[in-house]
Amino acid sequence: QVQLVESGGGSVQAGDSLTLSCAASGRTFSVYHVAWYRQAPGKDREFVGSINWSGSRTFYTQSVKDRFIISRDNAKKTAYLQMNNLQPEDTAIYYCAADPHNVAGPYDYWGQGTQVTVSS
């Protein structure tokens, strides 16, 4: 299995950028697809985007498609979520998840989450 730790969250102003990291340990990271999810207060967890094992394909939910970029560095066992032009509605706890079977999920391995707060 793989263990995941997110970092890079914080409090920013609307229009700012922030990059989250998802560091993996354990089994070979390069065989795992990675996804980012978020959960805002009082709301269900929401899919943000995903990247396949090689990094050749990425997928995004429509609301972030033109603002967020997912990437990965398999040598560093780390995936990234670059968030640009952040808006208050992006405020949430962000989670990374990994799974070796299907980039569309479901995802079996999850990090503990990192808080992102965007103020107007």
Side-chain angles (χ1 to χ4, degrees), residues 1-2 26-34 51-54 72 74 97-101 107 109:
Q1 62 181 23
V2 64
R27 296 288 296 275
T28 306
F29 177 67
S30 60
V31 304
Y32 286 83
H33 309 300
V34 173
I51 186 167
N52 73 331
W53 65 274
S54 67
R72 65 189 296 161
N74 286 341
D99 197 88
H101 301 297
Y107 284 81
Y109 303 102

Side-chain angles (χ1 to χ4, degrees), residues 35-57:
W36 287 93
Y37 285 78
R38 65 186 180 185
Q39 188 166 21
K43 295 188 176 181
D44 292 335
R45 187 172 61 193
E46 174 190 28
F47 170 80
V48 175
S50 60
I51 186 167
N52 73 331
W53 65 274
S54 67
S56 63
R57 292 186 296 159

Side-chain angles (χ1 to χ4, degrees), residues 50-70:
S50 60
I51 186 167
N52 73 331
W53 65 274
S54 67
S56 63
R57 292 186 296 159
T58 54
F59 307 89
Y60 301 94
T61 193
Q62 187 62 38
S63 63
V64 309
K65 193 171 185 178
D66 296 326
R67 300 185 295 123
F68 290 11
I69 301 172
I70 297 174

Side-chain angles (χ1 to χ4, degrees), residues 9 13-14 20 51 76 86 102:
Q13 298 288 321
L20 306 183
I51 186 167
K76 294 183 178 179
L86 283 160
N102 192 332

